């Protein structure tokens, strides 16, 4: 099942997407210029193999809901995200303020 939920962050709309899979759930919240995601995000792949795309993304681990993802600290971020001031330890919501 796929669930889509909008969130307002500082007056700007971001989209939360939850995909239920056997034994896991993928969680993503996307803004206009980047996104945050659960632990399934491969930051190394984005930085190494897809570096030319300059993806702005962050990963939070141990999250189970979209609300958890908003408030969890980011464990890893891409080089592209670092360029706009997103860094590990920042909450998902603070990262999305820079990506919305």
């Amino acid at each position: 099942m796929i669930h889509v939920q909008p969130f307002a962050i500082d007056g700007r709309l971001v989209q939360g997407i939850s995909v239920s899979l056997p034994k896991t759930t993928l969680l993503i919240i996307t803004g206009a210029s980047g996104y945050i995601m659960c632990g399934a995000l491969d930051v190394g792949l984005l930085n190494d193999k897809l570096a030319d795309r300059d993806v702005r993304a962050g990963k939070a681990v141990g999250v189970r809901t979209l609300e958890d993802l908003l408030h969890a600290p980011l464990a890893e971020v891409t080089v592209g995200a670092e360029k706009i001031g997103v860094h590990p330890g920042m909450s998902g919501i603070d990262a999305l303020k820079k990506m919305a």
Side-chain angles (χ1 to χ4, degrees), residues 41-99:
L41 180 66
D42 189 341
V43 171
L45 173 80
L46 295 175
N47 284 337
D48 298 336
K49 303 286 185 188
L50 304 175
D52 60 316
R53 297 184 188 185
D54 197 33
V55 175
R56 297 171 178 177
K59 171 171 80 174
V61 295
V63 294
R64 296 188 175 268
T65 67
L66 292 170
E67 285 289 335
D68 289 348
L69 183 55
L70 281 173
H71 300 288
L74 299 179
E76 284 185 90
V77 301
T78 61
V79 171
E82 288 176 339
K83 290 178 185 176
I84 61 166
V86 175
H87 54 81
M90 176 179 276
S91 72
I93 199 163
D94 286 339
L96 286 166
K97 287 176 183 178
K98 296 181 179 289
M99 298 174 177

CSV table of all heavy atoms in Angstrom, one decimal, residues 41-99:
chain,number,residue,atom,x,y,z
A,41,LEU,N,17.9,4.4,2.2
A,41,LEU,CA,18.6,5.3,1.3
A,41,LEU,C,20.1,5.0,1.2
A,41,LEU,O,20.8,4.9,2.3
A,41,LEU,CB,18.4,6.8,1.7
A,41,LEU,CG,19.1,7.8,0.8
A,41,LEU,CD1,18.5,7.9,-0.6
A,41,LEU,CD2,19.0,9.2,1.4
A,42,ASP,N,20.7,4.8,0.0
A,42,ASP,CA,22.1,4.6,-0.1
A,42,ASP,C,22.8,5.9,-0.5
A,42,ASP,O,23.0,6.2,-1.7
A,42,ASP,CB,22.3,3.5,-1.3
A,42,ASP,CG,23.7,3.0,-1.4
A,42,ASP,OD1,24.6,3.7,-0.9
A,42,ASP,OD2,23.9,1.9,-2.0
A,43,VAL,N,23.2,6.6,0.5
A,43,VAL,CA,23.9,7.8,0.4
A,43,VAL,C,25.2,7.7,-0.4
A,43,VAL,O,25.6,8.5,-1.3
A,43,VAL,CB,24.2,8.5,1.7
A,43,VAL,CG1,25.1,9.8,1.6
A,43,VAL,CG2,22.8,8.9,2.4
A,44,GLY,N,25.9,6.6,-0.1
A,44,GLY,CA,27.2,6.3,-0.9
A,44,GLY,C,27.0,6.2,-2.4
A,44,GLY,O,27.8,6.7,-3.2
A,45,LEU,N,25.9,5.5,-2.8
A,45,LEU,CA,25.6,5.4,-4.2
A,45,LEU,C,25.3,6.8,-4.8
A,45,LEU,O,25.8,7.1,-5.9
A,45,LEU,CB,24.4,4.5,-4.4
A,45,LEU,CG,23.9,4.4,-5.8
A,45,LEU,CD1,24.7,3.4,-6.6
A,45,LEU,CD2,22.4,4.0,-5.9
A,46,LEU,N,24.6,7.6,-4.1
A,46,LEU,CA,24.2,8.9,-4.6
A,46,LEU,C,25.5,9.8,-4.8
A,46,LEU,O,25.7,10.5,-5.7
A,46,LEU,CB,23.2,9.6,-3.8
A,46,LEU,CG,21.8,8.9,-3.7
A,46,LEU,CD1,20.9,9.7,-2.7
A,46,LEU,CD2,21.2,8.9,-5.1
A,47,ASN,N,26.4,9.7,-3.8
A,47,ASN,CA,27.6,10.5,-3.8
A,47,ASN,C,28.6,10.0,-4.8
A,47,ASN,O,29.3,10.8,-5.4
A,47,ASN,CB,28.2,10.5,-2.4
A,47,ASN,CG,27.5,11.4,-1.5
A,47,ASN,OD1,26.8,12.3,-1.9
A,47,ASN,ND2,27.7,11.2,-0.2
A,48,ASP,N,28.7,8.7,-5.0
A,48,ASP,CA,29.7,8.1,-5.8
A,48,ASP,C,29.3,7.8,-7.3
A,48,ASP,O,29.8,8.4,-8.2
A,48,ASP,CB,30.2,6.7,-5.3
A,48,ASP,CG,30.9,6.9,-3.9
A,48,ASP,OD1,31.3,8.0,-3.6
A,48,ASP,OD2,30.9,5.9,-3.1
A,49,LYS,N,28.3,7.0,-7.5
A,49,LYS,CA,27.8,6.6,-8.8
A,49,LYS,C,27.0,7.7,-9.5
A,49,LYS,O,26.9,7.7,-10.7
A,49,LYS,CB,27.1,5.3,-8.8
A,49,LYS,CG,27.8,4.2,-8.1
A,49,LYS,CD,28.9,3.7,-9.1
A,49,LYS,CE,29.5,2.4,-8.5
A,49,LYS,NZ,30.6,2.0,-9.2
A,50,LEU,N,26.3,8.5,-8.7
A,50,LEU,CA,25.4,9.5,-9.3
A,50,LEU,C,25.8,10.9,-8.9
A,50,LEU,O,24.9,11.8,-8.9
A,50,LEU,CB,23.9,9.2,-8.8
A,50,LEU,CG,23.4,7.8,-9.1
A,50,LEU,CD1,22.0,7.6,-8.5
A,50,LEU,CD2,23.3,7.5,-10.6
A,51,ALA,N,27.1,11.1,-8.7
A,51,ALA,CA,27.6,12.4,-8.3
A,51,ALA,C,27.2,13.5,-9.2
A,51,ALA,O,26.9,14.7,-8.8
A,51,ALA,CB,29.1,12.4,-8.1
A,52,ASP,N,27.1,13.2,-10.5
A,52,ASP,CA,26.8,14.3,-11.5
A,52,ASP,C,25.4,14.8,-11.4
A,52,ASP,O,25.1,15.9,-11.8
A,52,ASP,CB,27.0,13.7,-12.9
A,52,ASP,CG,26.2,12.5,-13.2
A,52,ASP,OD1,26.0,11.6,-12.3
A,52,ASP,OD2,25.6,12.4,-14.3
A,53,ARG,N,24.6,14.1,-10.7
A,53,ARG,CA,23.2,14.6,-10.4
A,53,ARG,C,23.0,15.6,-9.3
A,53,ARG,O,22.0,16.2,-9.1
A,53,ARG,CB,22.2,13.4,-10.2
A,53,ARG,CG,22.2,12.4,-11.4
A,53,ARG,CD,21.2,11.3,-11.2
A,53,ARG,NE,21.3,10.3,-12.2
A,53,ARG,CZ,20.5,9.3,-12.3
A,53,ARG,NH1,19.5,9.1,-11.4
A,53,ARG,NH2,20.6,8.5,-13.3
A,54,ASP,N,24.1,15.6,-8.4
A,54,ASP,CA,24.1,16.5,-7.3
A,54,ASP,C,22.8,16.4,-6.5
A,54,ASP,O,22.1,17.4,-6.1
A,54,ASP,CB,24.3,18.0,-7.8
A,54,ASP,CG,24.7,18.9,-6.6
A,54,ASP,OD1,25.4,18.5,-5.7
A,54,ASP,OD2,24.3,20.1,-6.7
A,55,VAL,N,22.4,15.2,-6.1
A,55,VAL,CA,21.2,14.9,-5.4
A,55,VAL,C,21.3,15.5,-4.0
A,55,VAL,O,22.3,15.3,-3.3
A,55,VAL,CB,20.9,13.4,-5.3
A,55,VAL,CG1,19.7,13.1,-4.4
A,55,VAL,CG2,20.7,12.8,-6.7
A,56,ARG,N,20.3,16.1,-3.5
A,56,ARG,CA,20.2,16.7,-2.1
A,56,ARG,C,19.3,15.8,-1.3
A,56,ARG,O,18.1,15.8,-1.5
A,56,ARG,CB,19.6,18.1,-2.2
A,56,ARG,CG,20.5,19.0,-3.0
A,56,ARG,CD,19.8,20.4,-3.2
A,56,ARG,NE,20.7,21.3,-3.9
A,56,ARG,CZ,20.4,22.5,-4.2
A,56,ARG,NH1,19.1,22.9,-4.0
A,56,ARG,NH2,21.2,23.2,-4.9
A,57,ALA,N,19.9,15.0,-0.5
A,57,ALA,CA,19.1,14.0,0.3
A,57,ALA,C,19.8,13.7,1.6
A,57,ALA,O,21.0,13.9,1.8
A,57,ALA,CB,19.0,12.7,-0.5
A,58,GLY,N,19.0,13.2,2.6
A,58,GLY,CA,19.4,12.8,3.9
A,58,GLY,C,18.8,11.6,4.3
A,58,GLY,O,17.6,11.3,3.9
A,59,LYS,N,19.4,10.8,5.2
A,59,LYS,CA,18.9,9.5,5.7
A,59,LYS,C,18.8,9.6,7.2
A,59,LYS,O,19.8,9.9,7.9
A,59,LYS,CB,19.9,8.4,5.2
A,59,LYS,CG,19.5,7.1,5.9
A,59,LYS,CD,20.3,5.9,5.3
A,59,LYS,CE,21.7,5.8,5.8
A,59,LYS,NZ,22.4,4.6,5.3
A,60,ALA,N,17.7,9.1,7.7
A,60,ALA,CA,17.5,8.9,9.1
A,60,ALA,C,17.3,7.4,9.4
A,60,ALA,O,16.6,6.8,8.6
A,60,ALA,CB,16.3,9.7,9.6
A,61,VAL,N,17.8,6.9,10.4
A,61,VAL,CA,17.7,5.4,10.7
A,61,VAL,C,16.8,5.2,11.9
A,61,VAL,O,16.7,6.1,12.8
A,61,VAL,CB,19.1,4.8,10.9
A,61,VAL,CG1,19.9,4.8,9.6
A,61,VAL,CG2,19.9,5.4,12.0
A,62,GLY,N,16.2,4.1,11.9
A,62,GLY,CA,15.3,3.7,13.0
A,62,GLY,C,14.0,4.3,13.1
A,62,GLY,O,13.3,4.3,14.1
A,63,VAL,N,13.5,4.9,12.0
A,63,VAL,CA,12.2,5.6,11.9
A,63,VAL,C,11.2,4.6,11.4
A,63,VAL,O,11.5,3.8,10.6
A,63,VAL,CB,12.3,6.9,11.0
A,63,VAL,CG1,13.2,7.9,11.7
A,63,VAL,CG2,12.7,6.6,9.6
A,64,ARG,N,10.0,4.8,11.9
A,64,ARG,CA,8.9,3.8,11.5
A,64,ARG,C,7.7,4.6,10.9
A,64,ARG,O,6.8,3.9,10.3
A,64,ARG,CB,8.4,3.0,12.7
A,64,ARG,CG,9.5,2.1,13.3
A,64,ARG,CD,9.0,1.2,14.3
A,64,ARG,NE,10.0,0.3,14.7
A,64,ARG,CZ,10.2,-1.0,14.2
A,64,ARG,NH1,9.4,-1.4,13.2
A,64,ARG,NH2,11.1,-1.7,14.6
A,65,THR,N,7.6,5.9,11.1
A,65,THR,CA,6.5,6.7,10.6
A,65,THR,C,7.0,7.9,9.9
A,65,THR,O,8.2,8.3,10.2
A,65,THR,CB,5.5,7.1,11.7
A,65,THR,OG1,6.2,8.0,12.5
A,65,THR,CG2,5.0,5.9,12.5
A,66,LEU,N,6.2,8.6,9.1
A,66,LEU,CA,6.6,9.9,8.5
A,66,LEU,C,6.8,10.9,9.6
A,66,LEU,O,7.8,11.7,9.5
A,66,LEU,CB,5.5,10.3,7.6
A,66,LEU,CG,5.4,9.5,6.3
A,66,LEU,CD1,4.1,9.9,5.5
A,66,LEU,CD2,6.6,9.6,5.4
A,67,GLU,N,6.1,10.9,10.7
A,67,GLU,CA,6.3,11.8,11.8
A,67,GLU,C,7.7,11.6,12.4
A,67,GLU,O,8.4,12.5,12.8
A,67,GLU,CB,5.2,11.7,12.9
A,67,GLU,CG,3.9,12.3,12.5
A,67,GLU,CD,3.9,13.8,12.4
A,67,GLU,OE1,4.7,14.5,13.1
A,67,GLU,OE2,3.1,14.4,11.7
A,68,ASP,N,8.0,10.3,12.6
A,68,ASP,CA,9.4,10.0,13.1
A,68,ASP,C,10.4,10.6,12.2
A,68,ASP,O,11.4,11.1,12.7
A,68,ASP,CB,9.6,8.4,13.2
A,68,ASP,CG,8.8,7.7,14.2
A,68,ASP,OD1,8.2,8.4,15.1
A,68,ASP,OD2,8.8,6.5,14.2
A,69,LEU,N,10.2,10.4,10.9
A,69,LEU,CA,11.2,10.9,9.9
A,69,LEU,C,11.4,12.4,10.0
A,69,LEU,O,12.5,12.9,9.9
A,69,LEU,CB,10.8,10.5,8.5
A,69,LEU,CG,11.7,10.8,7.4
A,69,LEU,CD1,13.1,10.3,7.6
A,69,LEU,CD2,11.2,10.3,6.1
A,70,LEU,N,10.3,13.1,10.3
A,70,LEU,CA,10.4,14.6,10.4
A,70,LEU,C,11.2,15.0,11.6
A,70,LEU,O,12.0,16.0,11.5
A,70,LEU,CB,9.0,15.2,10.6
A,70,LEU,CG,8.1,15.3,9.4
A,70,LEU,CD1,6.7,15.8,9.8
A,70,LEU,CD2,8.7,16.3,8.4
A,71,HIS,N,11.2,14.3,12.6
A,71,HIS,CA,11.8,14.7,13.9
A,71,HIS,C,13.2,14.0,14.2
A,71,HIS,O,13.9,14.4,15.1
A,71,HIS,CB,10.8,14.5,15.0
A,71,HIS,CG,9.6,15.3,14.9
A,71,HIS,ND1,9.6,16.7,15.0
A,71,HIS,CD2,8.4,15.0,14.5
A,71,HIS,CE1,8.4,17.2,14.7
A,71,HIS,NE2,7.6,16.2,14.4
A,72,ALA,N,13.5,13.0,13.5
A,72,ALA,CA,14.7,12.2,13.7
A,72,ALA,C,15.9,13.0,13.2
A,72,ALA,O,15.9,13.7,12.2
A,72,ALA,CB,14.6,10.9,13.0
A,73,PRO,N,17.1,12.8,13.9
A,73,PRO,CA,18.3,13.4,13.4
A,73,PRO,C,18.8,12.6,12.1
A,73,PRO,O,18.6,11.4,12.1
A,73,PRO,CB,19.3,13.2,14.5
A,73,PRO,CG,18.8,12.0,15.3
A,73,PRO,CD,17.3,12.1,15.1
A,74,LEU,N,19.3,13.3,11.2
A,74,LEU,CA,19.9,12.6,10.0
A,74,LEU,C,21.2,12.0,10.3
A,74,LEU,O,22.1,12.6,10.9
A,74,LEU,CB,20.0,13.6,8.8
A,74,LEU,CG,18.7,14.3,8.4
A,74,LEU,CD1,19.1,15.3,7.3
A,74,LEU,CD2,17.7,13.3,7.9
A,75,ALA,N,21.3,10.7,9.9
A,75,ALA,CA,22.5,10.0,10.1
A,75,ALA,C,23.6,10.2,9.0
A,75,ALA,O,24.8,10.3,9.3
A,75,ALA,CB,22.2,8.5,10.2
A,76,GLU,N,23.1,10.4,7.8
A,76,GLU,CA,24.0,10.7,6.7
A,76,GLU,C,23.3,11.7,5.7
A,76,GLU,O,22.1,11.7,5.6
A,76,GLU,CB,24.2,9.4,5.9
A,76,GLU,CG,25.2,8.4,6.4
A,76,GLU,CD,25.4,7.3,5.4
A,76,GLU,OE1,26.3,7.4,4.6
A,76,GLU,OE2,24.6,6.3,5.5
A,77,VAL,N,24.1,12.4,5.0
A,77,VAL,CA,23.5,13.3,4.0
A,77,VAL,C,24.5,13.3,2.8
A,77,VAL,O,25.6,12.9,2.9
A,77,VAL,CB,23.4,14.8,4.5
A,77,VAL,CG1,22.5,14.9,5.7
A,77,VAL,CG2,24.7,15.4,4.8
A,78,THR,N,23.9,13.6,1.6
A,78,THR,CA,24.7,13.6,0.4
A,78,THR,C,25.6,14.9,0.3
A,78,THR,O,25.3,15.9,1.1
A,78,THR,CB,23.8,13.6,-0.8
A,78,THR,OG1,23.0,14.8,-0.8
A,78,THR,CG2,23.0,12.3,-0.9
A,79,VAL,N,26.6,14.9,-0.5
A,79,VAL,CA,27.4,16.1,-0.8
A,79,VAL,C,26.5,17.2,-1.2
A,79,VAL,O,26.7,18.4,-0.8
A,79,VAL,CB,28.5,15.7,-1.8
A,79,VAL,CG1,29.2,17.0,-2.2
A,79,VAL,CG2,29.5,14.7,-1.2
A,80,GLY,N,25.5,16.9,-2.1
A,80,GLY,CA,24.6,18.0,-2.6
A,80,GLY,C,23.9,18.6,-1.5
A,80,GLY,O,23.6,19.8,-1.5
A,81,ALA,N,23.4,17.8,-0.5
A,81,ALA,CA,22.7,18.4,0.7
A,81,ALA,C,23.6,19.2,1.5
A,81,ALA,O,23.2,20.3,2.0
A,81,ALA,CB,22.1,17.3,1.5
A,82,GLU,N,24.9,18.8,1.7
A,82,GLU,CA,25.8,19.6,2.5
A,82,GLU,C,26.0,21.0,1.9
A,82,GLU,O,26.2,22.0,2.6
A,82,GLU,CB,27.2,18.9,2.6
A,82,GLU,CG,27.1,17.7,3.5
A,82,GLU,CD,28.4,16.9,3.5
A,82,GLU,OE1,29.2,17.0,2.6
A,82,GLU,OE2,28.6,16.1,4.5
A,83,LYS,N,26.0,21.0,0.5
A,83,LYS,CA,26.2,22.3,-0.2
A,83,LYS,C,25.1,23.4,0.2
A,83,LYS,O,25.4,24.6,0.1
A,83,LYS,CB,26.2,22.1,-1.7
A,83,LYS,CG,27.4,21.4,-2.2
A,83,LYS,CD,27.3,21.2,-3.7
A,83,LYS,CE,28.4,20.4,-4.3
A,83,LYS,NZ,28.2,20.1,-5.7
A,84,ILE,N,23.9,22.9,0.6
A,84,ILE,CA,22.9,23.9,1.0
A,84,ILE,C,22.7,24.0,2.5
A,84,ILE,O,21.7,24.5,3.0
A,84,ILE,CB,21.5,23.5,0.3
A,84,ILE,CG1,21.0,22.1,0.7
A,84,ILE,CG2,21.6,23.6,-1.2
A,84,ILE,CD1,19.6,21.8,0.3
A,85,GLY,N,23.6,23.4,3.2
A,85,GLY,CA,23.6,23.6,4.7
A,85,GLY,C,23.0,22.5,5.5
A,85,GLY,O,22.7,22.6,6.7
A,86,VAL,N,22.7,21.4,4.8
A,86,VAL,CA,22.1,20.2,5.5
A,86,VAL,C,23.3,19.3,6.0
A,86,VAL,O,24.2,19.1,5.2
A,86,VAL,CB,21.2,19.4,4.6
A,86,VAL,CG1,20.7,18.1,5.3
A,86,VAL,CG2,20.0,20.3,4.1
A,87,HIS,N,23.2,18.9,7.3
A,87,HIS,CA,24.4,18.1,7.8
A,87,HIS,C,23.9,17.0,8.7
A,87,HIS,O,22.7,17.1,9.2
A,87,HIS,CB,25.3,19.0,8.5
A,87,HIS,CG,24.7,19.9,9.6
A,87,HIS,ND1,24.4,19.4,10.8
A,87,HIS,CD2,24.3,21.2,9.5
A,87,HIS,CE1,23.8,20.4,11.5
A,87,HIS,NE2,23.7,21.4,10.8
A,88,PRO,N,24.7,16.0,8.9
A,88,PRO,CA,24.3,14.9,9.9
A,88,PRO,C,24.0,15.5,11.2
A,88,PRO,O,24.7,16.4,11.7
A,88,PRO,CB,25.5,14.0,9.9
A,88,PRO,CG,26.2,14.2,8.6
A,88,PRO,CD,26.0,15.7,8.3
A,89,GLY,N,23.0,14.9,11.9
A,89,GLY,CA,22.6,15.4,13.2
A,89,GLY,C,21.4,16.4,13.2
A,89,GLY,O,20.7,16.6,14.2
A,90,MET,N,21.3,17.0,12.0
A,90,MET,CA,20.1,18.0,11.8
A,90,MET,C,18.8,17.2,11.8
A,90,MET,O,18.8,16.1,11.3
A,90,MET,CB,20.4,18.7,10.5
A,90,MET,CG,19.3,19.7,10.1
A,90,MET,SD,19.7,20.5,8.5
A,90,MET,CE,20.7,21.8,9.1
A,91,SER,N,17.8,17.7,12.3
A,91,SER,CA,16.5,17.1,12.3
A,91,SER,C,16.0,17.0,10.8
A,91,SER,O,16.3,17.9,10.0
A,91,SER,CB,15.5,17.7,13.2
A,91,SER,OG,15.0,19.0,12.7
A,92,GLY,N,15.1,16.1,10.6
A,92,GLY,CA,14.5,16.0,9.2
A,92,GLY,C,13.7,17.3,8.9
A,92,GLY,O,13.8,17.8,7.8
A,93,ILE,N,13.0,17.8,9.8
A,93,ILE,CA,12.3,19.0,9.6
A,93,ILE,C,13.2,20.2,9.2
A,93,ILE,O,12.9,21.0,8.3
A,93,ILE,CB,11.3,19.4,10.7
A,93,ILE,CG1,10.2,20.3,10.2
A,93,ILE,CG2,11.9,19.9,11.9
A,93,ILE,CD1,9.0,20.3,11.1
A,94,ASP,N,14.3,20.3,9.9
A,94,ASP,CA,15.2,21.4,9.7
A,94,ASP,C,15.9,21.3,8.3
A,94,ASP,O,16.1,22.2,7.6
A,94,ASP,CB,16.3,21.6,10.7
A,94,ASP,CG,15.7,22.2,12.0
A,94,ASP,OD1,14.7,22.8,12.0
A,94,ASP,OD2,16.4,22.0,13.1
A,95,ALA,N,16.1,20.0,7.9
A,95,ALA,CA,16.7,19.8,6.6
A,95,ALA,C,15.7,20.1,5.5
A,95,ALA,O,16.0,20.8,4.5
A,95,ALA,CB,17.1,18.3,6.4
A,96,LEU,N,14.4,19.8,5.7
A,96,LEU,CA,13.4,20.1,4.7
A,96,LEU,C,13.1,21.6,4.6
A,96,LEU,O,12.8,22.0,3.5
A,96,LEU,CB,12.1,19.4,5.1
A,96,LEU,CG,12.1,17.9,4.8
A,96,LEU,CD1,10.9,17.2,5.5
A,96,LEU,CD2,12.1,17.6,3.3
A,97,LYS,N,13.4,22.3,5.6
A,97,LYS,CA,13.3,23.8,5.5
A,97,LYS,C,14.2,24.3,4.5
A,97,LYS,O,14.0,25.3,3.8
A,97,LYS,CB,13.5,24.5,6.9
A,97,LYS,CG,12.4,24.3,7.9
A,97,LYS,CD,12.8,24.9,9.2
A,97,LYS,CE,11.7,24.7,10.2
A,97,LYS,NZ,12.1,25.2,11.6
A,98,LYS,N,15.4,23.7,4.3
A,98,LYS,CA,16.4,24.1,3.3
A,98,LYS,C,16.1,23.5,2.0
A,98,LYS,O,16.6,24.0,1.0
A,98,LYS,CB,17.8,23.7,3.8
A,98,LYS,CG,18.2,24.4,5.1
A,98,LYS,CD,19.6,24.0,5.5
A,98,LYS,CE,20.0,24.7,6.7
A,98,LYS,NZ,20.3,26.1,6.6
A,99,MET,N,15.2,22.5,1.9
A,99,MET,CA,14.9,21.8,0.7
A,99,MET,C,13.5,22.1,0.1
A,99,MET,O,13.2,21.8,-1.0
A,99,MET,CB,15.0,20.3,0.9
A,99,MET,CG,16.3,19.7,1.3
A,99,MET,SD,16.2,18.0,1.6
A,99,MET,CE,17.8,17.5,2.0
